[in-house]
Amino acid sequence: MDSPSHLTRCVSTLLPPTPTSLSFAIDDKNKSYRHQYSNLYFTRLAMLRRPVMERASAMWKDLPANAAHVPRVLDVVKSKLCWILGTVYIEMPLKPNVLEDLGRDYSIPPPPPREKFYSNEDSVMLEDESGRIKLVGEPLTSTRLVTGVIIAVLGMETAAGDFEIVDICYPDLAPFTEMNVSSDKTMDLDDNSLPRDEYLAIVSGLSIGGTPSADAHIQMIVEYLSGETGGPDDQMLASQITRLIIAGNSLCQVYGDNDDEDEENRPRKANSAAQPSFSTNPSVVLSAYLHDLASTLPVHILPGANDPAGVILPQQPFPRAMFGKAAGFETFRCETNPVWLRIECGGESEHVTANGASSSNSTSNSTPLIRSVLATAGQPVLDMYQYLPTPPSTHLSITCSTLKWRHMAPTAPDTLWCHPFREKDPFVLQETPDLYVVGGMPEFGTELVGTPTRKCRVVLVPSFSETGCLVLVNLRTLAVRCVKFVVAGMVIGETETLRDHGSSAQIHFVDK
């Protein structure tokens, strides 16, 4: 084992995108806001019609010959078994209405916002270019859908004009494009020839600018990733971290008074002017942390819902100029939200000495491996969570469902703000990533989704400011480690730890 002063940091390579890799950059051709949002639904249906039809034809190939596909939902014949294809629309009486919200602004104060918007009065519709038909049937009670999902349904029209379904077909997972050799083939080699594990670190919700006590908490993660804290085992693990993804909400959301007319009538906190509860310049503090991190390893930062970025999806990258000296590093990258990355591991390693000098060494005993990573700050999952009952739906189950729907954000643009794209829907998954990262979640979670021969690792990353959780994903095996940083007086879950003033910090590991 290398000594802590002569550790070798693994280095991964960021590869250019493939023709099928998702791109969320809004180019000059799509910057216009004059287009209707209906174009987005038509484009989505056109992009997913073929995979849904192919899978539905395979699922229902043993049906009687007269149970054929009907191209238009309005062409179904009463009492005749058939299957149709279209876009799901759910009529929800409790769903927020922008016109009603505007009306309340000029009348009575609005009621407190709801946490959930589903009810027993919800109606599920299926629509295409021709029109819309109401869906009924037992499968709808066991299958939870959201507006915007493309599906095919098997059934027949009733005398009341509804379409009673007996089966539902989804697009299912898109194909994997990265043809990687399984790492299991190296397990019969001797220990000296085994490839070295390489990790991708992911954190979300730093929320810099909140409570001043959080600064020490964030400093812990900076020192850990830099290999400046912990014992020899901790530093060895830190040297295997090849890059860091910051998945949104890096800055704390600050609420201000927007209505000057009622400013005098609003209650104020005592001594609020003399004792501010947030940093006066959080972006400078964030820039300093990013400078320390980018000098150690590659960093990818995504904007989130609380960050000073456009609220519509896909969010465009931060201006590099706002991060000061950190912007001078080639290892520092401002990304879109969402973002698709192709990472090659098993290449060269960087030998870091005690005085900071480094040199690249080839690692001939490692097999090059390409991993595709899809990362978001979590807005689509949080939006869909409001329209599904809990239980059975959870943030993790919803995220896994988006892979089977082949769409990251089906509720956009219905209830989730997004750009009015005209010729494409960028949220359609044309390929399945090896790693699907969702930040901004209330809890940590992970699951493998896919076939017996190929799987996608789904990882939910909770807020670091609330949980102290840093997620490490092994790029070779897709195994997950959750590293929890605990400072004095911090509460994790229902247990408050480190009340003893003699202890300053602890690191906990949870392997999945």
Side-chain angles (χ1 to χ4, degrees), residues 38 59 74 175 256 403:
S38 58
M59 285 179 57
L74 295 186
L403 292 173

Side-chain angles (χ1 to χ4, degrees), residues 29-47:
K29 185 178 180 180
N30 289 291
K31 282 186 177 180
S32 174
Y33 287 86
R34 295 178 297 175
H35 307 308
Q36 294 292 324
Y37 280 101
S38 58
N39 293 323
L40 197 59
Y41 288 112
F42 298 148
T43 304
R44 181 183 308 174
L45 181 58
M47 295 176 68

